[in-house]
């Protein structure tokens, strides 16, 4: 599970990163809001842990932008801002939780697990009049149900979460496959070919020499 941590207190950043890494998470840390936002634009994360008062772009500004462009990555604010006004603002911007400093690291881990479980079990993604349920590997179109294999569902989910972005085969492999059986580019093309057959519209645009772009008008 990949987590992005934005925390400008370097000591606290190291403590949190070490704790989460020991608990099996893959953590990428930033102390600068601008660099964190760039990383989010280039990678897919399962969870964002955002401090608010950080250099260049605040945690509030980052989440406001992400939600505006349709990025729904689960997000927890970790901040020393304790006013109810800040708490309210955090949730209004689309945060899933708000943890005031100082906090117990085990509490942070428990909140992460709860939010991820809630998303993976119940999340439905709406696009172009269809409902995609990644966990059940199904797409509902009216009364019709489109079934797919697990990896096909994971590939489709990655494209939907990064709609409009050119995605290479290497990026798909890096972000979707986490086991030892790394697929070839030909295998990735086969998955995309199979996904194309499931829809009446052409959502996957082939960008020659670069990859694919998932377009939803």
């Amino acid at each position: 599970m990949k987590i992005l941590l934005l925390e400008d207190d370097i000591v606290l950043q190291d403590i949190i990163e070490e704790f989460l890494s020991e608990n099996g998470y893959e953590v990428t840390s930033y102390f600068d809001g601008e660099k964190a936002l760039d990383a989010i634009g280039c990678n897919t994360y399962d969870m964002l842990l955002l401090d608010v008062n950080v250099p260049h772009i605040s945690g509030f500004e980052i989440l406001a932008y992400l939600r505006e462009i349709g990025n729904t990555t689960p997000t927890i604010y970790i901040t020393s801002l304790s006013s109810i006004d800040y708490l309210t603002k955090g949730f209004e911007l689309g945060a899933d939780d708000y943890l005031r400093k100082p906090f117990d690291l085990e509490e942070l881990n428990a909140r992460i697990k709860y939010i991820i479980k809630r998303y993976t079990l119940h999340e439905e993604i709406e696009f172009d009049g269809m409902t995609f349920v990644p966990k059940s590997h199904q797409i509902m179109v009216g009364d019709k149900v489109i079934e797919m294999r697990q990896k096909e569902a994971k590939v489709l989910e990655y494209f939907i979460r990064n709609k409009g972005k050119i995605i290479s085969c290497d990026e798909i492999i890096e972000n979707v496959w986490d086991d030892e059986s790394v697929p070839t580019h030909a295998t990735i093309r086969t998955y995309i070919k199979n996904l194309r057959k499931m829809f009446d519209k052409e959502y996957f645009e082939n960008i020659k020499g670069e990859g694919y772009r998932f377009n939803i008008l």
Side-chain angles (χ1 to χ4, degrees), residues 159-167 203 205 212-216:
F159 270 104
I160 292 174
R161 294 191 184 283
N162 294 275
K163 59 182 180 291
K165 173 186 172 184
I166 298 175
I167 299 173
Y203 293 107
E205 180 184 0
Y212 300 89
R213 181 164 51 209
F214 191 81
N215 295 317
I216 303 175

Side-chain angles (χ1 to χ4, degrees), residues 50-53 77-82 98-101 103:
L50 304 180
D51 192 2
V52 176
N53 289 329
Y77 278 120
I78 50 173
T79 177
S80 57
L81 299 175
S82 58
Y98 192 103
L99 196 55
R100 295 185 179 93
K101 299 176 185 176
F103 53 82

Side-chain angles (χ1 to χ4, degrees), residues 12-211:
L12 180 57
Q13 183 191 98
D14 288 343
I15 291 172
I16 295 174
E17 181 174 349
E18 181 179 359
F19 171 79
L20 292 178
S21 297
E22 289 174 353
N23 280 272
Y25 302 104
E26 180 182 337
V27 184
T28 306
S29 299
Y30 297 90
F31 69 90
D32 179 302
E34 187 174 2
K35 291 181 179 178
L37 187 56
D38 287 342
I40 296 169
C42 297
N43 302 277
T44 297
Y45 297 95
D46 300 294
M47 172 70 68
L48 306 177
L49 303 179
L50 304 180
D51 192 2
V52 176
N53 289 329
V54 293
H56 298 122
I57 303 176
S58 75
F60 282 154
E61 292 173 310
I62 289 174
L63 192 58
Y65 171 74
L66 292 177
R67 295 302 189 247
E68 182 180 343
I69 65 172
N71 185 314
T72 59
T73 305
T75 302
I76 299 176
Y77 278 120
I78 50 173
T79 177
S80 57
L81 299 175
S82 58
S83 165
I84 189 64
D85 292 335
Y86 289 117
L87 176 67
T88 300
K89 182 175 181 179
F91 284 117
E92 286 178 345
L93 290 173
D96 296 271
D97 210 340
Y98 192 103
L99 196 55
R100 295 185 179 93
K101 299 176 185 176
F103 53 82
D104 188 286
L105 292 171
E106 289 295 347
E107 179 182 358
L108 173 62
N109 191 25
R111 293 183 184 227
I112 291 172
K113 287 181 176 180
Y114 173 77
I115 291 171
I116 292 298
K117 182 178 180 180
R118 187 182 72 200
Y119 267 75
T120 55
L121 288 178
H122 303 293
E123 184 180 21
E124 296 181 351
I125 301 174
E126 304 284 343
F127 75 97
D128 206 9
M130 293 177 276
T131 301
F132 175 41
V133 186
K135 189 67 176 180
S136 63
H137 320 142
Q138 294 176 321
I139 292 177
M140 271 68 80
V141 188
D143 296 330
K144 179 183 176 183
V145 178
I146 301 173
E147 302 279 357
M148 63 187 71
R149 292 179 294 173
Q150 182 183 23
K151 282 299 187 197
E152 289 172 344
K154 286 183 175 293
V155 171
L156 178 61
E157 182 180 6
Y158 189 80
F159 270 104
I160 292 174
R161 294 191 184 283
N162 294 275
K163 59 182 180 291
K165 173 186 172 184
I166 298 175
I167 299 173
S168 67
C169 290
D170 287 332
E171 182 177 342
I172 295 171
I173 293 170
E174 181 180 350
N175 288 277
V176 174
W177 269 260
D178 55 6
D179 49 38
E180 296 180 359
S181 56
V182 177
T184 63
H185 285 196
T187 301
I188 299 300
R189 289 193 289 270
T190 298
Y191 276 111
I192 294 172
K193 181 180 178 181
N194 292 340
L195 288 169
R196 277 177 160 152
K197 293 177 181 178
M198 298 177 187
F199 303 106
D200 295 330
K201 295 182 181 180
E202 180 54 85
Y203 293 107
F204 294 91
E205 180 184 0
N206 189 354
I207 310 299
K208 189 174 181 179
E210 297 185 64

